[in-house]
Amino acid sequence: MPVPDKKIVINKLEKKYGCSFSMIKGKKIMYQGIADGKRIVICTPHSKIHTIGRGWFDLTTKQVELLDDAEIAVLVVRLEDGNIYIVDFKELRKMMTLDNQILNPREGEHWKFYIWGNNIQVRGCPDKFLAVPERLIS
């Protein structure tokens, strides 16, 4: 099953928030809009389901800065099994520290996240963030 299409996800969120979203210049998975006078930023990373039975994705410091600067920040993780996880990023952000940030030549400074059934975990953080998947067919 393919990863849910970003356009379908964004359309769903436009209906939910009653506004339209536009892609943030230079950011392929990030969108912004205004609803009820509040700036909303959406990040839509995706992952295949790996052989160990989970998905994973990275968020760069630049992506996190854009989400941090928004009044409403939504993370919508799209998995190849047709599920999406819609998460209040401001709540998940509490689990992200400089201590669990990763540095490598390809992504630079970033955080790695694992997705297991009904939770998301930040690599290096023992706590799990409850996130219930929703089936979305592209």
Side-chain angles (χ1 to χ4, degrees), residues 56-74:
W56 70 74
F57 64 95
D58 297 332
L59 289 180
T60 66
T61 54
K62 181 61 181 170
Q63 291 167 325
V64 170
E65 285 171 12
L66 290 167
L67 289 160
D68 283 345
D69 288 343
E71 292 173 90
I72 300 169
V74 181

Side-chain angles (χ1 to χ4, degrees), residues 3 5 19-20 64 72 107 109 112 122 124 135:
V3 171
D5 188 272
C19 68
S20 31
V64 170
I72 300 169
E107 290 94 4
E109 294 176 333
K112 183 171 287 301
V122 182
R135 174 73 68 198

Side-chain angles (χ1 to χ4, degrees), residues 10-33:
I10 295 302
N11 185 47
K12 177 181 180 64
L13 294 173
E14 286 177 338
K15 290 176 184 170
K16 177 179 179 176
Y17 289 102
C19 68
S20 31
F21 292 103
S22 59
M23 187 179 282
I24 295 175
K25 186 176 180 176
K27 302 293 174 198
K28 294 179 183 176
I29 62 169
M30 299 202 66
Y31 298 82
Q32 63 186 346

Side-chain angles (χ1 to χ4, degrees), residues 44-91:
T44 63
H46 70 277
S47 177
K48 65 181 184 175
I49 303 297
H50 297 275
T51 55
I52 53 175
R54 67 178 172 197
W56 70 74
F57 64 95
D58 297 332
L59 289 180
T60 66
T61 54
K62 181 61 181 170
Q63 291 167 325
V64 170
E65 285 171 12
L66 290 167
L67 289 160
D68 283 345
D69 288 343
E71 292 173 90
I72 300 169
V74 181
L75 179 67
V76 184
V77 183
R78 301 172 292 125
L79 293 182
E80 76 174 349
D81 64 0
N83 284 328
I84 61 171
Y85 293 76
I86 301 174
V87 175
D88 177 349
F89 179 76
K90 302 276 186 191
E91 291 300 314

Side-chain angles (χ1 to χ4, degrees), residues 87-88 91-92 95 118-121 127-131:
V87 175
D88 177 349
E91 291 300 314
L92 179 63
M95 302 173 109
N118 65 352
N119 67 69
I120 296 174
Q121 188 170 15
D127 301 325
K128 294 179 180 171
F129 185 86
L130 181 62

